[in-house]
Amino acid sequence: MSEWHLKIVVDPIKCDGRGVCHELFPEWISLDKWGFPIISEGDIPAEFFDHAQRAVNECPRLALHLLERMETRR
Amino acid sequence: MPRLLRGLKYGTKPLNFEEHLAQWGPMYLHNGEGILAEVEASGLLGHGGASFPVGIKWRAIKSQRRRSIVVANGSEGEPASAKDALLLMRAPHLVLDGAVAAAGALDATRVVLYTGAMHVGAVSAALAQRQRAGVDPVKIEVATAPEAFVAGQETAVVGALNGKSGAIPLYSGIHSIRERGVSGRPTLVQNVETLAHVALIARYGAQWFRSLGSSDSPGTMLLSVTGRWSETVVVEAAYTTPMREILGLTPSEIAHFQGANLGGYGGSWVSMKTLMSLTLSESVARDANATLGASIVILLPRDVCPVSEVARVAHYMRDEGAGQCGPCVNGLAEIADLLGGIVNVAARRRKPAQVGDFLELCNLVEGRGACRHPDGVARFVRSAISVFDSHFNEHFHSSPCAQAGSYGVLPLPAPNHRRMVSTSRGAK
């Protein structure tokens, strides 16, 4: 069976600290005292995949990226 | 024992091409795969600050199966580093041989030597000698690097060669430069010292290279040492040489110093006791919570205020950031401000910072920039607070030290050093 693994990363150059990502995905993304995202470590739990996709889509600077990998178990 | 530094002339003149060949013999470039295999077998580590195995780096680029670009990186940003300048000014043909060998191994379409304006003349003269001799199968270009701390960061190098002005690191979270670098090609950015070692490996082979050092850390390395002698000296030593042998200090001389920086302004502070216990090896340094970093040692004498020194460097490092990433712009500014606030206790307007404030900021900036500049500052400041803890405590608890704000011993570029212009982004 195959499993998707998803990570979300921020391009710190593009990021302007607007904070939309935190609003849309507070379970995984918090903001530091200057307004820039602090992203939790590791793979995103499957129940949050749609939140992650929405955060990536809605970032005004398109600064977020999803890194996907598929692991197949036999 | 010296390898790279063997046969250097007294004074400052470089070995010309004839003298270089008389010293080392010719370099026969067999086939590219042969050189690559020899570099892999040698276990050569990179000398640009990461100590990354060169063979692995080259193989990763070769695996792209596209023609590549080779950049010899001689833009030595750390103020206390002098080794790359020494090679370019005194033994440029070793560097250029290595660049040509890399170009053969990686099927390069272009070879560029990237260095500061003060070395361009010497390198161009060396290239002219080679052109007259007609030895190189590839043309080597020279490109001028800006005078900036981060100019040598590999993505900044790629950006500059792709036409961006200034020295601006790029985001590499999605694509690395080994896939897509200069002109979209797989790009090797390799430190000039590393290429000098390649020039000798190409002549004498991997086994010869491994006859010094250890199996994990084979060969020799150049180390820039400041504070031990009257000026910064570049020393060549085999890996695993004990630091006490390299520095040759008596116990009473050691007592003159209150601590040492290892690795440069992105490296860490260690006690003299720790320094003297080290052998020249990245893994030994890491075990001591330090790093060889940019191959720098700076000894700090007892009669200076370490808080002032660290504050000066922190301000420099804040100014040398590219200004692109919010956490770095904000974090380094706050670290510099807080340090300034505890240097001159009498001038303090508000409650002094405490250790916790610094540690919190250091933790907040690590890993959150496009490059490792903020990580370096965090390591530098955190380790200073640890090694000079009693002195920092004096400053935290408001008794000024006699030397606070005294003239700096840590090397920094001259005050009229022109900082590159970059757009300031993200600061709230």
Side-chain angles (χ1 to χ4, degrees):
Chain A
M1 70 161 274
S2 304
E3 274 178 14
W4 276 111
H5 292 266
L6 216 59
K7 277 186 159 69
I8 194 168
V9 293
V10 61
D11 175 343
I13 297 173
K14 290 215 177 107
C15 175
D16 241 349
R18 310 272 184 102
V20 174
C21 54
H22 166 66
E23 282 186 28
L24 292 176
F25 195 8
E27 297 87 350
W28 205 250
I29 302 178
S30 56
L31 298 180
D32 68 19
K33 59 168 154 169
W34 305 298
F36 294 92
I38 298 178
I39 301 178
S40 302
E41 295 280 318
D43 292 336
I44 299 170
E47 69 260 32
F48 294 149
F49 279 9
D50 57 336
H51 297 312
Q53 186 68 66
R54 203 164 156 219
V56 169
N57 293 348
E58 303 290 333
C59 171
R61 298 281 302 148
L62 300 180
L64 289 171
H65 302 276
L66 285 176
L67 299 181
E68 305 169 353
R69 69 183 194 284
M70 170 126 69
E71 275 168 22
T72 306
R73 266 179 266 256
R74 287 180 194 279
Chain B
M1 195 283 297
R3 289 178 167 179
L4 302 186
L5 303 189
R6 183 174 300 169
L8 289 190
K9 291 167 147 165
Y10 288 113
T12 56
K13 290 231 171 346
L15 290 171
N16 66 29
F17 195 47
E18 269 176 29
E19 291 161 335
H20 165 76
L21 291 178
Q23 169 71 49
W24 299 112
M27 180 177 74
Y28 297 111
L29 284 181
H30 303 289
N31 58 71
E33 182 55 42
I35 302 277
L36 176 45
E38 210 63 31
V39 167
E40 281 175 310
S42 72
L44 174 66
L45 299 174
H47 294 274
S51 290
F52 193 83
V54 177
I56 295 180
K57 195 170 178 177
W58 286 22
R59 184 61 70 183
I61 291 171
K62 188 72 189 276
S63 318
Q64 303 291 317
R65 302 174 91 208
R66 294 159 63 204
R67 299 198 65 190
S68 65
I69 308 242
V70 166
V71 182
N73 190 1
S75 63
E76 195 168 31
E78 282 265 6
S81 181
K83 67 180 182 74
D84 296 340
L86 182 111
L87 285 173
L88 291 172
M89 300 294 272
R90 312 266 302 272
H93 291 289
L94 274 179
V95 174
L96 295 170
D97 279 355
V100 169
L106 301 177
D107 199 15
T109 60
R110 267 180 86 192
V111 181
V112 182
L113 195 143
Y114 188 67
T115 189
M118 65 282 216
H119 304 309
V120 167
V123 172
S124 301
L127 283 174
Q129 293 160 13
R130 295 170 84 95
Q131 270 152 31
R132 282 195 292 277
V135 285
D136 292 330
V138 285
K139 176 174 180 290
I140 305 175
E141 305 159 40
V142 185
T144 306
E147 298 304 312
F149 186 83
V150 300
Q153 201 273 343
E154 64 173 18
T155 65
V157 172
V158 166
L161 294 176
N162 276 340
K164 272 175 97 91
S165 66
I168 318 283
L170 310 171
Y171 180 57
S172 51
I174 308 293
H175 293 291
S176 84
I177 63 166
R178 73 166 173 277
E179 298 161 35
R180 197 185 288 183
V182 177
S183 309
R185 290 201 169 279
T187 301
L188 175 76
V189 175
Q190 196 84 72
N191 176 265
V192 292
E193 181 195 336
T194 311
L195 291 172
H197 290 287
V198 168
L200 298 184
I201 292 169
R203 285 172 165 82
Y204 309 123
Q207 289 321 303
W208 165 85
F209 184 74
R210 285 184 165 282
S211 64
L212 289 178
S214 72
S215 60
D216 297 321
S217 308
T220 62
M221 62 172 274
L222 299 181
L223 193 63
S224 303
V225 182
T226 300
R228 164 63 181 93
W229 297 285
S230 57
E231 48 184 15
T232 299
V233 172
V234 176
V235 171
E236 183 172 16
Y239 277 108
T240 72
T241 304
M243 194 62 79
R244 59 174 190 279
E245 215 178 281
I246 294 172
L247 297 174
L249 291 164
T250 65
S252 68
E253 284 171 329
I254 292 171
H256 283 148
F257 301 106
Q258 56 177 313
N261 168 267
L262 192 56
Y265 298 155
S268 33
W269 291 95
V270 293
S271 66
M272 290 305 288
K273 180 161 178 247
T274 300
L275 183 72
M276 291 302 146
S277 75
L278 294 178
T279 60
L280 209 60
S281 146
E282 182 60 19
S283 52
V284 167
R286 297 263 169 103
D287 287 343
N289 209 24
T291 173
L292 290 179
S295 306
I296 286 171
V297 173
I298 308 174
L299 302 182
L300 197 71
R302 282 203 180 279
D303 57 358
V304 298
C305 168
V307 178
S308 302
E309 295 293 332
V310 169
R312 276 175 72 239
V313 170
H315 281 78
Y316 167 76
M317 294 290 269
R318 173 201 64 192
D319 290 344
E320 288 296 311
Q324 307 188 95
C325 302
C328 180
V329 170
N330 288 286
L332 266 49
E334 276 197 33
I335 289 171
D337 282 349
L338 288 190
L339 282 168
I342 61 166
V343 166
N344 192 346
V345 172
R348 185 178 304 148
R349 283 165 291 151
R350 51 168 192 261
K351 188 167 170 301
Q354 297 301 318
V355 178
D357 300 316
F358 287 103
L359 298 183
E360 199 187 301
L361 284 168
C362 290
N363 292 343
L364 209 45
V365 302
E366 277 182 316
R368 297 185 65 221
C371 73
R372 293 280 160 263
H373 187 65
D375 302 63
V377 176
R379 180 192 283 135
F380 185 82
V381 170
R382 201 191 272 129
S383 58
I385 293 174
S386 168
V387 168
F388 303 114
D389 61 338
S390 52
H391 202 115
F392 268 85
N393 274 326
E394 266 185 53
H395 280 257
F396 287 142
H397 298 114
S398 88
S399 48
C401 73
Q403 311 96 324
S406 58
Y407 184 79
V409 303
L410 294 181
L412 287 177
N416 63 354
H417 156 77
R418 197 182 71 243
R419 184 180 168 250
M420 68 192 176
V421 176
S422 65
T423 54
S424 177
R425 299 199 47 231
K428 284 206 170 277

